[in-house]
Amino acid sequence: MSAASATSRASTVSSPDVPIVRSQRRRNRNADGNVDPEEESRRKLGGIWPHNMSPMFALLAATLGLFNVSRFALLSIEYGGNFIVQFMLLSFLFGIPLLCFHACLGQFLGSNVIDMWRISPIFKGVGIALLIGQAISGIYSIVGVAWMFFYFRDSFIAQEDRYKWSKCYEQIRSCSQPTNYSFSLEETIPDYFHARVLQRSAPWSPPLSFVSLKFELAFNLAVIWMIVFVALGKGLRSYGKVVYAFGTLPILGYFIICVKVLGYSSSVPTSGVGGVLDRTPWNEFFTDTKVWVIAAREVFMTWGMCGAIVMQITSHNRYGHSLRRDITVVIGLTLFVLMLSGFLASACLQIINSRGPYEYIMSSFETDQSYKFLRNLRFMRQHQQSNLLNKQEEFHNNLVMGVAVREGDDGPGDHSGYHPIRLATELFPAVVAIIGPGEFSPFWAVLFYFSLVAFGIAQQLAIWHCVINGIVAFRSCCLKSWETTITFCTCLLGFFLCLPLATELGISIVYHLDYVMGSLWWLMIIYVVQIAAVLIVRGRPYNGESIVAVLVKGPGCMANWCVPMLTFSWSVVLPIGLLVLSVSSFKMGHFCDMFNWRMTEGYAYWPLWARQTGSMLQLIPILLIPAVGLIQCIRYLSSGPSDLFDRIKLLYRPDFRTYLIPSQSASRTASRTSRSQQRSERRRSGRSSRSRSRSPSPTPATFPDPPPKYTPPPTYNTATGARIAKMLRESIRRSIRQIRDMTTPIHTPGNTVTSMAAMAELELGRGNREDHHQTSITSTSRHLPPAYTSVILEMRSHGPDDLRMPDILSDRLSQLVGCDSSEASTSGSSSACSSTTDCTATSSSSCDTTSSAPMSAVELTRLLGESFRRSARNTLRNSLRFIRNGKTAAKPTANERSVTDDDDTTDTDQGGRHLVHGAVRIHRDPSLSNVVVTLPNAPGNHSESIA
């Protein structure tokens, strides 16, 4: 209720984004780690997970998917143990901290990548760029899940039958081969993918046109989008239950099939684990920079590529949710499944080399001669030296859906070296075809492809959940109720955008989008801007120590090392590491060739228009950041507070104590609602004055205002109560200190003991002739007791050796009371007071002759009590007047003022007036709001204050 609070409320202004200003959620959490009810209600408005384990299984979909499982398997057999160890080291260095940053930021703010920028509106373009990148990756990567449906369906065969990918296709080849079909697997397996899955009519030439839509592939896409809509149609109510199935079943199935294949490979001379680690050139661990770059890119794709999804998932958590448990389980399961994937690929490779006999080579999807991935070693004597590891001149560009192998620094002319999902389309089909369904049951093939389909659908659900909530976050006040409709429209739009991928040219479109968007150097730059915007530009209370509090709660051993380590990693390691990795990927991955628009140079595989389109797709997310920032600058600087610096502060660093919830549409809705309410009130008042019988017309629907917050009355103000208590406490302490010092003699310059009260009375006699305030005092028949300050001063005037102290004290009180009564009765005559004062000043014996009967101790106690209570009442009355008027009862105009100008003397008792007129100097203490009276000839600091 103070002026400072009123000023802070007046300085709070509405920005162009949101008109309604509410109190910022308080950072003082309860003992159990929960937030206040207002913050909890705001989180519930955005949606809360229905089950405690739902966010953990949803986070698994962000780190474990169909594509990173396949990529890790291929890179493990190509680079061996060097890649695995480097992947683990770099994961703990910056991969897992990047995952923790997005998870902690999402739960700390309770917001996704769009509405989180209420903390710094100028960086809203970062959220839009991340949302666009996730939407594009979700549209083109879903076709890989549709491909897996073909393998899953064709895995249901009898043990006497043969897999379809081990049969010859008469549409593209002459099938007059010997009866032993295993000799032609290097042709039948790739023919199945290109002729059956992709349904290419002429695999001997690269796809050049759309030609026709493939019905089976389009139907698979439609089924997947229907699953997405059913799982996300009811928001978290349905998605929170679906994640239990898509989070547990694929991991369990993948673990079972890996154990089965690894157990079967035990009969092979070199098992899966030994094939990866035993034949690794460990002397190149530190010197081979290409492997370090590939491992760093794979770390980023596993832990950081889905940062927007991680933020969206954790934003639905309650603040007190155990995020540390979820992160620990996700990290452990992700590393476990990836290690299993690497050993599975190595076991598959050993089975192919031993039972085939074949050698695995890198393929390219363009023609029937380039997409062969097996080399027949039946008539070769050197098959013992299989090509387990990659050649030194090859560089594996790990993209999102697959790996593109480039030989040397020159780009390929007719072949790209790209093939998607090699583990599922090349390695595992070759293993089950070589072993045969009689020895290796088809159930294991069904389980393997079911697990991959579940991995792909789970990740697609997480991506599209992020996209839907990002769209809703733009106008959450009006779009939240349309979430089901938005889900249906986005799924329908995504299906139509995927239809070009179901044509013969679809594989080329997939490679183009994967090469452009899967380069990810642009995403690393956006993450650097995001980290700098949150931790540096915005800063407190959104610094590293505050954000990591949702992960590590309370003191302990983990808090001692985890909090500083994560804070340092977020502030230093992540920005530097992401910038270095972005530059290295851009250069070593040859993504810079896309920006060479000369006809005869650059990445000659793509035509000029494809390179121009690809470069623009990479630059658009980055250019959105300054573009949206410019728009936000125009909006915020054109309206708002009158001070320009306040507008700039609202633009990049709004006040921590206020945050703006609704969007601009809410302001227009609120203004329209208020205007309609005013018009309806005017109509009702006009109709009631004209006619009471006419039925009123329907009024527009209004929403009840929220109940106002309770404001305590001024008398209960904590600051005022503390001030009163402080004044009373100081007054009591001062009185006790004066009683203790009452035996201390006061020496005048003439070495005579003089009463301070007597000196005050001498001055009072002279001052009564000049004080015009005394004329307003009327005589009363009842003698008021003197103020306790005068009594205390009189008690101090006697030495410790005086044995007649009670009598003398009673005499002095009687003289003061008599002086007051004579003064009131004579109305201006001061002879009685003068005589008494002179008597007191000359000698104490003369005062004894004129004194009345001595007062008893009971009467003295009563006088002191009444004086103290009267002083307390005056103090309380002045304090109440200060509260009502918003200022002190009497505002001083100077530090020192005369008695005639002091208004507070009229509120004191008559004993207080004696003290005031006997003072040499009177001034007001600004810290205590009291009048300080300094007595004459007092050694030291003998000042008293009258409230």
Side-chain angles (χ1 to χ4, degrees):
M1 319 312 294
S2 60
S5 62
T7 306
S8 64
R9 289 194 303 269
S11 62
T12 305
V13 295
S14 61
S15 69
D17 264 346
V18 186
I20 301 175
V21 180
R22 297 184 181 178
S23 174
Q24 165 70 316
R25 59 173 173 272
R26 298 161 180 84
R27 302 298 178 196
N28 50 343
R29 304 302 197 256
N30 300 330
D32 56 351
N34 298 326
V35 294
D36 54 356
E38 181 181 355
E39 168 62 14
E40 195 68 22
S41 63
R42 195 191 72 83
R43 289 176 178 263
K44 290 181 180 179
L45 182 63
I48 299 294
W49 288 106
H51 305 286
N52 194 28
M53 302 290 289
S54 298
M56 183 182 68
F57 292 114
L59 283 175
L60 282 173
T63 57
L64 279 178
L66 168 64
F67 309 111
N68 60 336
V69 167
S70 178
R71 284 195 317 267
F72 192 89
L74 181 69
L75 295 174
S76 297
I77 64 175
E78 287 298 321
Y79 293 99
N82 286 337
F83 169 78
I84 296 177
V85 176
Q86 291 168 1
F87 177 84
M88 297 293 291
L89 292 177
L90 294 176
S91 294
F92 287 101
L93 181 61
F94 79 93
I96 294 176
L98 184 59
L99 174 70
C100 294
F101 174 76
H102 287 116
C104 295
L105 188 62
Q107 182 166 328
F108 182 77
L109 297 176
S111 307
N112 54 20
V113 293
I114 297 298
D115 56 358
M116 68 163 287
W117 296 110
R118 66 178 183 274
I119 65 175
S120 186
I122 194 174
F123 292 101
K124 195 172 184 178
V126 175
I128 299 176
L130 292 175
L131 185 66
I132 291 176
Q134 292 294 338
I136 295 176
S137 64
I139 289 174
Y140 82 85
S141 63
I142 196 175
V143 70
V145 186
W147 294 340
M148 294 299 102
F149 272 92
F150 288 95
Y151 289 91
F152 175 69
R153 182 189 59 189
D154 293 338
S155 298
F156 289 91
I157 61 172
Q159 291 186 355
E160 298 80 10
D161 201 356
R162 297 161 54 184
Y163 291 103
K164 289 188 177 181
W165 51 80
S166 63
K167 297 179 181 179
C168 179
Y169 279 85
E170 298 181 355
Q171 295 87 349
I172 58 177
R173 293 188 186 274
S174 175
C175 296
S176 59
Q177 290 287 345
T179 56
N180 191 355
Y181 62 90
S182 63
F183 294 157
S184 60
L185 288 180
E186 68 273 12
E187 296 179 352
T188 59
I189 296 176
D191 286 346
Y192 173 82
F193 177 74
H194 289 269
R196 176 66 178 146
V197 178
L198 300 181
Q199 300 182 6
R200 293 172 59 181
S201 58
W204 50 84
S205 63
L208 299 176
S209 61
F210 288 97
V211 183
S212 62
L213 183 67
K214 307 305 178 182
F215 174 76
E216 292 187 53
L217 189 55
F219 178 78
N220 292 342
L221 289 172
V223 170
I224 297 173
W225 282 112
M226 288 177 62
I227 295 174
V228 172
F229 171 70
V230 172
L232 301 179
K234 294 184 179 180
L236 293 180
R237 290 180 298 172
S238 56
Y239 184 46
K241 301 178 179 65
V242 169
V243 292
Y244 278 87
F246 286 101
T248 57
L249 294 181
I251 296 177
L252 182 61
Y254 197 76
F255 171 74
I256 294 174
I257 191 62
C258 288
V259 172
K260 178 62 178 178
V261 175
L262 289 175
Y264 184 83
S265 65
S266 60
S267 59
V268 179
T270 304
S271 61
V273 179
V276 174
L277 301 179
D278 294 345
R279 307 181 66 176
T280 300
W282 295 106
N283 56 341
E284 299 177 357
F285 182 81
F286 295 102
T287 58
D288 195 351
T289 57
K290 292 189 295 185
V291 183
W292 282 101
V293 173
I294 292 172
R297 283 181 53 83
E298 188 63 27
V299 165
F300 180 79
M301 289 182 179
T302 302
W303 306 108
M305 187 181 67
C306 297
I309 300 174
V310 173
M311 281 195 61
Q312 182 63 60
I313 292 172
T314 56
S315 67
H316 300 302
N317 295 342
R318 292 181 173 88
Y319 186 85
H321 179 76
S322 180
L323 184 62
R324 183 170 63 182
R325 179 203 62 189
D326 296 347
I327 293 296
T328 304
V329 173
V330 168
I331 293 173
L333 287 178
T334 301
L335 294 177
F336 175 72
V337 172
L338 291 180
M339 293 299 109
L340 282 179
S341 182
F343 297 147
L344 173 65
S346 180
C348 293
L349 190 62
Q350 295 301 319
I351 293 174
I352 292 173
N353 292 335
S354 300
R355 297 287 301 270
Y358 293 98
E359 181 185 14
Y360 182 74
I361 59 175
M362 291 300 157
S363 60
S364 186
F365 71 90
E366 281 79 15
T367 63
D368 60 343
Q369 298 298 324
S370 64
Y371 61 55
K372 293 181 180 180
F373 63 92
L374 294 177
R375 181 183 299 165
N376 197 333
L377 301 177
R378 181 175 178 83
F379 303 104
M380 296 178 62
R381 299 299 182 183
Q382 296 83 8
H383 66 274
Q384 292 84 2
Q385 302 295 330
S386 60
N387 187 20
L388 178 63
L389 303 176
N390 72 309
K391 300 178 182 180
Q392 292 294 329
E393 63 272 9
E394 292 180 353
F395 181 82
H396 289 65
N397 244 346
N398 42 343
L399 306 176
V400 175
M401 290 185 62
V403 178
V405 182
R406 299 188 61 168
E407 297 181 0
D409 296 332
D410 298 331
D414 297 332
H415 306 303
S416 61
Y418 174 80
H419 200 281
I421 324 177
R422 295 178 187 265
L423 176 64
T425 59
E426 293 181 347
L427 288 176
F428 193 81
V431 169
V432 296
I434 290 173
I435 299 176
E439 189 177 354
F440 196 80
S441 174
F443 169 76
W444 304 115
V446 173
L447 183 62
F448 175 78
Y449 286 109
F450 170 77
S451 302
L452 294 185
V453 168
F455 273 132
I457 294 179
Q459 194 165 53
Q460 183 66 25
L461 290 176
I463 292 174
W464 219 246
H465 175 71
C466 174
V467 173
I468 293 171
N469 284 270
I471 296 174
V472 173
F474 281 103
R475 303 289 173 86
S476 58
C477 59
C478 57
L479 295 180
K480 187 64 179 178
S481 58
W482 295 82
E483 186 174 0
T484 304
T485 305
I486 294 174
T487 303
F488 175 77
C489 294
T490 53
C491 291
L492 187 63
L493 179 62
F495 170 70
F496 283 113
L497 292 177
C498 287
L499 288 181
L501 305 179
T503 61
E504 288 197 11
L505 196 62
I507 184 64
S508 298
I509 299 175
V510 167
Y511 174 51
H512 184 263
L513 292 176
D514 205 14
Y515 190 86
V516 172
M517 306 304 294
S519 60
L520 298 180
W521 65 268
W522 55 272
L523 185 60
M524 301 171 192
I525 295 178
I526 294 176
Y527 280 165
V528 172
V529 177
Q530 181 188 23
I531 295 172
V534 175
L535 300 181
I536 299 177
V537 177
R538 184 56 181 91
R540 291 184 179 273
Y542 305 102
N543 55 342
E545 292 82 359
S546 301
I547 296 175
V548 80
V550 299
L551 182 64
V552 182
K553 299 177 182 178
C557 179
M558 186 174 182
N560 294 333
W561 65 269
C562 186
V563 174
M565 184 185 67
L566 284 178
T567 305
F568 176 77
S569 178
W570 294 347
S571 303
V572 180
V573 178
L574 280 184
I576 297 176
L578 291 176
L579 285 177
V580 173
L581 181 59
S582 177
V583 175
S584 301
S585 300
F586 187 76
K587 183 65 177 178
M588 298 183 65
H590 300 279
F591 299 114
C592 55
D593 295 339
M594 294 291 291
F595 294 87
N596 191 347
W597 293 350
R598 298 178 182 178
M599 296 296 296
T600 58
E601 298 180 4
Y603 193 19
Y605 178 84
W606 298 112
L608 180 60
W609 64 270
R611 281 181 279 169
Q612 293 174 346
T613 305
S615 59
M616 287 298 102
L617 286 176
Q618 292 177 345
L619 291 178
I620 283 175
I622 299 177
L623 295 178
L624 275 176
I625 299 176
V628 176
L630 181 61
I631 295 174
Q632 293 288 84
C633 290
I634 296 174
R635 295 178 61 195
Y636 276 76
L637 296 180
S638 61
S639 61
S642 57
D643 192 358
L644 179 62
F645 291 100
D646 291 340
R647 299 183 186 182
I648 297 175
K649 186 177 181 181
L650 286 176
L651 177 63
Y652 80 98
R653 202 173 187 272
D655 189 7
F656 167 65
R657 298 182 180 276
T658 58
Y659 74 96
L660 310 170
I661 297 178
S663 59
Q664 189 175 1
S665 61
S667 62
R668 294 192 291 266
T669 304
S671 60
R672 287 196 299 266
T673 303
S674 61
R675 289 195 297 267
S676 63
Q677 290 178 354
Q678 294 174 1
R679 288 195 298 267
S680 62
E681 291 292 339
R682 287 195 297 266
R683 292 196 204 99
R684 283 197 296 268
S685 61
R687 278 195 296 270
S688 61
S689 60
R690 295 192 198 98
S691 174
R692 299 283 183 180
S693 60
R694 184 182 304 175
S695 61
S697 60
T699 58
T702 59
F703 299 93
D705 295 334
K709 293 183 178 180
Y710 173 73
T711 303
T715 55
Y716 296 155
N717 191 286
T718 306
T720 304
R723 183 170 176 268
I724 294 174
K726 181 180 179 181
M727 293 170 59
L728 293 177
R729 184 170 61 252
E730 291 180 352
S731 178
I732 294 173
R733 289 176 178 175
R734 206 165 41 244
S735 300
I736 294 174
R737 187 166 54 250
Q738 290 172 352
I739 291 175
R740 290 177 178 176
D741 298 340
M742 67 182 180
T743 58
T744 303
I746 301 177
H747 298 279
T748 58
N751 292 329
T752 59
V753 179
T754 307
S755 172
M756 297 176 67
M759 299 179 65
E761 290 172 349
L762 287 174
E763 296 294 334
L764 182 63
R766 292 190 296 269
N768 283 338
R769 304 184 186 93
E770 301 173 359
D771 190 2
H772 64 278
H773 292 288
Q774 301 298 330
T775 58
S776 62
I777 303 176
T778 59
S779 61
T780 58
S781 60
R782 179 177 178 271
H783 298 293
L784 297 176
Y788 78 97
T789 52
S790 300
V791 176
I792 296 300
L793 292 175
E794 181 62 29
M795 293 170 65
R796 292 180 54 186
S797 64
H798 299 279
D801 298 332
D802 196 348
L803 301 177
R804 298 181 301 105
M805 184 176 297
D807 296 338
I808 296 175
L809 183 60
S810 300
D811 296 342
R812 296 305 305 136
L813 291 175
S814 300
Q815 292 174 9
L816 290 175
V817 172
C819 179
D820 294 337
S821 61
S822 63
E823 178 190 11
S825 61
T826 57
S827 180
S829 175
S830 61
S831 60
C833 289
S834 301
S835 62
T836 304
T837 306
D838 296 335
C839 178
T840 305
T842 56
S843 65
S844 62
S845 60
S846 61
C847 292
D848 295 337
T849 59
T850 59
S851 63
S852 61
M855 295 179 62
S856 63
V858 176
E859 294 176 347
L860 176 62
T861 304
R862 179 178 58 80
L863 290 176
L864 290 174
E866 290 179 0
S867 177
F868 178 79
R869 285 192 295 272
R870 188 168 61 255
S871 300
R873 284 196 300 270
N874 293 336
T875 303
L876 182 61
R877 188 182 302 110
N878 292 336
S879 302
L880 294 177
R881 186 184 302 113
F882 169 79
I883 296 172
R884 288 193 297 267
N885 299 334
K887 57 184 180 179
T888 57
K891 186 175 181 180
T893 59
N895 288 337
E896 295 187 6
R897 50 189 300 186
S898 62
V899 177
T900 58
D901 295 333
D902 190 15
D903 298 335
D904 287 344
T905 57
T906 60
D907 295 334
T908 59
D909 54 6
Q910 298 187 20
R913 284 186 286 106
H914 290 198
L915 179 64
V916 168
H917 284 283
V920 173
R921 182 170 60 87
I922 302 174
H923 69 281
R924 183 175 297 276
D925 188 357
S927 63
L928 300 176
S929 300
N930 294 340
V931 177
V932 180
V933 181
T934 304
L935 299 178
N937 298 328
N941 186 11
H942 295 282
S943 300
E944 291 293 329
S945 61
I946 302 177

